[in-house]
Amino acid sequence: MTTTSIDPRLDLFAEIQRLKRQQRALVLAHYYQEPDIQDVADALGDSLDLARRARDARDVDVIVFCGVHFMAETAKILNPGKIVVVPDLEAGCSLAESCTGPALAEWRKRHPEHYVVSYINTTAAAKAESDIICTSSNAEQIVRAVPADRPILFAPDKNLGAWVAKKTGRAMDYWPGTCMVHVTFSERKVIELKAKHRGAKFIAHPECEPEVLRHADFIGSTKRLLEYVVQDPCRTFIVGTEEGILHTMRKAAPGKELIEAPTENHGGCKACSECPHMKRNTLEKVYLCLRDLRPRIELDEGLRRRALVPLERMLALS
Ligand code: 13P
Ligand code: SF4
């Protein structure tokens, strides 16, 4: 079914509300989704919030996960009794793609003494090869809980790993993965923008490169960045993360000036701070997946159980 088969006269917002009731569905959306999707969601959140919401979903039959594949897969791992559908099955992630299950298993074989802390931005197969999962909200807390006598592999985001290593003082090996969006912010342009907007605070996600992060007044997960903008008395913020969050930030902090952090635009992209995977999802596709209850996330039960173990360890700690 393609989006061209949708009657253009349909009010998609109203139809989505009607279908939610009809299908007994819960719509979850990440802050990086386009504004219309954020507005129709029952719950918005960062990776950790959404994992918890999916796990705790009870009085529904269906979870519509508006994010990327690993997030919806995590929902299915945590709540296998629900039908989990996604607007676009091809919505991937450069981090998850950089670390396959077999590659991580091979690494572990060569380093059996290591404790593997994997970012939630991984496939179920990579999670199954991990000792514990973390998100950008709880990475520091999770790493602090790793037994002191075990060396750590942090996978697959080396920038998040380096930031956590600095905060915790724990030495680590890093998987060489990065987020294709967060590495595009330009140190030179951030310095110039800060000089132009004296008094503005630069806030950034820990997936950014260390040379960009060193200019940040505050570093945190998407949810922490949102809370910071609301609570901090500063009036102007330069925001170094995926641009989708600005929609919710503007609603939550209407009086504040929010400026997107500048990117290098290496590949000639028009909007490098837009995640092309997250933006595969559209309101039309949300409508279609609610109507047709597909595409679905399906998982082999043995793999699901193995991936559940490190996820449950994380949730017990945070
Ligand atoms: P958080 O939702 O944990 O901030 O992660 C950001 C991200 O890049 C998700 O893909
Ligand atoms: Fe992956 Fe980065 Fe997109 Fe998040 S923003 S889904 S980490 S590529």
Side-chain angles (χ1 to χ4, degrees), residues 12-307:
L12 287 180
F13 290 94
E15 277 300 296
I16 286 171
Q17 298 307 338
R18 183 184 67 75
L19 283 168
K20 274 197 228 176
R21 289 189 296 276
Q22 182 184 309
Q23 308 280 32
R24 289 173 39 85
L26 174 74
V27 178
L28 301 178
H30 191 272
Y31 293 122
Y32 298 168
Q33 291 296 279
E34 63 171 48
D36 283 350
I37 297 181
Q38 294 192 34
D39 291 344
V40 296
D42 297 303
L44 260 179
D46 66 1
S47 307
L48 182 61
D49 287 332
L50 295 175
R52 288 202 190 105
R53 291 297 295 241
R55 176 199 60 185
D56 298 340
R58 299 223 195 292
D59 299 329
V60 294
D61 300 325
V62 179
I63 297 172
V64 177
F65 209 113
C66 305
V68 289
H69 191 272
F70 76 81
M71 296 179 173
E73 199 175 51
T74 301
K76 187 71 181 173
I77 295 167
L78 291 169
N79 204 340
K82 307 296 175 197
I83 294 170
V84 178
V85 293
V86 290
D88 191 320
L89 206 50
E90 303 296 314
C93 168
S94 64
L95 278 168
E97 280 149 27
S98 75
C99 183
T100 65
L104 189 53
E106 178 57 36
W107 196 94
R108 289 202 79 151
K109 228 187 272 167
R110 286 185 280 113
H111 304 87
E113 68 292 350
H114 275 66
Y115 196 92
V116 177
V117 179
S118 288
Y119 195 22
I120 200 164
N121 299 36
T122 41
T123 59
K127 286 186 176 74
E129 300 296 337
S130 307
D131 291 299
I132 197 161
I133 305 302
C134 71
T135 75
S136 47
S137 279
N138 62 19
E140 184 183 342
Q141 195 184 357
I142 298 295
V143 165
R144 286 191 194 282
V146 174
D149 59 339
R150 297 282 300 275
I152 296 174
L153 170 70
F154 193 95
D157 190 297
K158 66 181 169 105
N159 290 338
L160 176 63
W163 177 69
V164 175
K166 217 164 134 190
K167 295 203 90 170
T168 60
R170 289 286 303 252
M172 299 177 192
D173 287 301
Y174 307 115
W175 195 267
T178 55
C179 162
M180 60 184 288
V181 178
H182 287 91
V183 297
T184 62
F185 295 112
S186 158
E187 181 188 17
R188 180 180 57 81
K189 292 183 191 172
V190 165
I191 294 170
E192 285 169 7
L193 201 60
K194 281 188 88 171
K196 198 168 147 201
H197 295 270
R198 298 220 174 264
K201 283 192 173 171
F202 173 48
I203 61 172
H205 196 282
E207 289 171 13
C208 297
E209 298 278 24
E211 53 272 23
V212 169
L213 290 179
R214 72 179 173 207
H215 301 285
D217 298 289
F218 179 75
I219 300 169
S221 69
T222 34
K223 187 181 183 185
R224 297 264 158 79
L225 296 180
L226 175 62
E227 288 166 354
Y228 191 79
V229 164
V230 172
Q231 287 157 13
D232 191 84
C234 185
R235 306 304 305 164
T236 307
F237 297 88
I238 300 166
V239 183
T241 190
E242 211 273 355
E243 56 81 47
I245 189 134
L246 287 145
H247 176 65
T248 293
M249 276 182 180
R250 288 195 177 104
K251 285 211 247 177
K256 308 227 170 155
E257 185 189 6
L258 305 172
I259 305 167
E260 279 179 48
T263 58
E264 282 295 357
N265 294 9
H266 276 321
C269 50
K270 282 200 201 83
C272 295
S273 59
E274 268 192 14
C275 173
H277 308 293
M278 289 277 182
K279 296 314 198 259
R280 287 185 74 99
N281 297 333
T282 60
L283 199 65
E284 287 80 5
K285 291 181 191 173
V286 174
Y287 162 74
L288 287 174
C289 79
L290 250 172
R291 188 190 71 183
D292 303 338
L293 297 187
R294 69 189 166 89
R296 293 185 190 191
I297 302 287
E298 307 284 5
L299 268 173
D300 168 78
E301 181 57 12
L303 174 62
R304 187 193 72 79
R305 283 175 187 271
R306 284 193 292 129

